[in-house]
């Protein structure tokens, strides 16, 4: 792992456990074991580290969701997208915590959030395609994306809390419930 990657990983670990405000650059340097000069070679300050981390993880989310999603079948694509995000979060708990606690934080400036939206273009295009095909209700695609993510996040939380031992049938039920929420009332698929 490169020194820059170590700094980013350390920052992720610190801010997901104690928050952005409580994480100082000196803590990042100390915990990462990377020399001051090396950190400053890659980043001017803590904000620059957080910006890169935020953009990197947002890009990961957008890329992972669309991985191997078949383009010819909206429902199959939805299922693959849903499972991709679910298993990404299950297998990357720090990314999950980051997305829940930090990425939605007011400490992340709106300009950065707006810049990161580019990584969700394929997801937005998917919902636009479903609307155009008259499969999905004609809702705001940002609302649709957030509801899609929210459905996945809800099941990840159940998984993380282990209050219910999730089985494949529970995951499939969650996907079906989520899918039906987007369908036009007269659509049968």
């Amino acid at each position: 792992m490169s020194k820059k990657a170590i700094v980013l990983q350390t920052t992720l670990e610190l801010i997901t456990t104690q928050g952005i405000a409580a994480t100082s650059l000196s803590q990042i340097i100390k915990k990462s074991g990377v020399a001051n000069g090396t950190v400053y070679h890659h980043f001017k300050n803590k904000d620059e580290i957080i910006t890169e981390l935020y953009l990197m993880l947002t890009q990961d989310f957008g890329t992972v969701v669309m991985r191997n999603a078949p383009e010819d079948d909206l429902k199959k694509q939805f299922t693959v997208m849903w499972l991709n995000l679910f298993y990404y979060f299950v297998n990357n708990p720090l990314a999950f915590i980051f997305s829940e606690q930090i990425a939605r934080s007011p400490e992340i400036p709106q300009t950065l959030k707006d810049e990161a939206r580019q990584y969700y273009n394929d997801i937005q295009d998917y919902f636009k395609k479903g609307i155009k095909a008259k499969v999905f209700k004609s809702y705001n695609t940002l609302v649709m994306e957030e509801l899609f993510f929210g459905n996945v996040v809800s099941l990840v939380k159940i998984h993380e809390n282990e209050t219910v031992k999730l089985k494949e049938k529970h995951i499939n039920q969650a996907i079906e419930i989520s899918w039906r929420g987007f369908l036009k009332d007269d659509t049968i698929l």
Side-chain angles (χ1 to χ4, degrees):
M1 186 182 293
S2 72
K3 303 247 187 224
K4 183 176 183 179
I6 291 169
V7 170
L8 290 168
Q9 181 64 32
T10 301
T11 304
L12 177 62
E13 291 168 7
L14 286 169
I15 65 175
T16 55
T17 57
Q18 61 191 34
I20 293 174
T23 301
S24 67
L25 186 55
S26 61
Q27 279 182 308
I28 294 167
I29 292 168
K30 183 177 180 181
K31 185 166 185 204
S32 70
V34 175
N36 285 5
T38 304
V39 172
Y40 284 108
H41 171 74
H42 294 290
F43 305 101
K44 292 178 186 170
N45 53 41
K46 181 180 92 170
D47 288 343
E48 200 171 278
I49 297 170
I50 291 169
T51 296
E52 184 155 340
L53 183 61
Y54 181 82
L55 291 173
M56 181 185 76
L57 287 173
T58 305
Q59 184 176 18
D60 279 356
F61 301 153
T63 301
V64 164
V65 168
M66 299 309 292
R67 186 172 292 137
N68 300 320
E71 293 186 26
D72 58 335
D73 184 320
L74 282 170
K75 186 169 186 184
K76 284 182 185 174
Q77 189 174 11
F78 185 89
T79 300
V80 169
M81 291 165 56
W82 208 100
L83 289 170
N84 284 347
L85 188 60
F86 176 78
Y87 286 112
Y88 175 80
F89 282 149
V90 165
N91 294 320
N92 297 283
L94 289 180
F96 177 67
I97 293 167
F98 180 87
S99 74
E100 280 298 282
Q101 295 178 359
I102 307 306
R104 309 224 186 271
S105 167
E107 295 174 271
I108 301 292
Q110 187 60 46
T111 54
L112 181 55
K113 291 176 185 178
D114 293 343
E115 181 182 345
R117 293 278 326 136
Q118 67 180 312
Y119 300 120
Y120 297 147
N121 286 341
D122 289 342
I123 301 165
Q124 182 182 54
D125 290 344
Y126 167 79
F127 284 110
K128 284 180 180 178
K129 180 179 169 184
I131 292 167
K132 186 175 181 181
K134 299 187 187 306
V135 173
F136 294 150
K137 296 171 186 163
S138 185
Y139 291 153
N140 177 291
T141 54
L142 177 59
V143 171
M144 295 173 86
E145 290 170 47
E146 289 296 326
L147 291 173
F148 172 83
F149 277 87
N151 286 319
V152 174
V153 164
S154 293
L155 208 64
V156 173
K157 286 179 181 179
I158 291 170
H159 170 78
E160 293 297 313
N161 292 331
E162 297 182 24
T163 54
V164 174
K165 185 73 175 167
L166 286 179
K167 297 178 181 167
E168 187 175 342
K169 74 176 186 176
H170 299 122
I171 296 168
N172 290 332
Q173 288 168 349
I175 293 168
E176 186 66 22
I177 291 166
S178 183
W179 166 255
R180 289 185 178 275
F182 294 107
L183 293 179
K184 285 183 66 96
D185 295 332
D186 57 351
T187 304
I188 300 175
L189 291 178

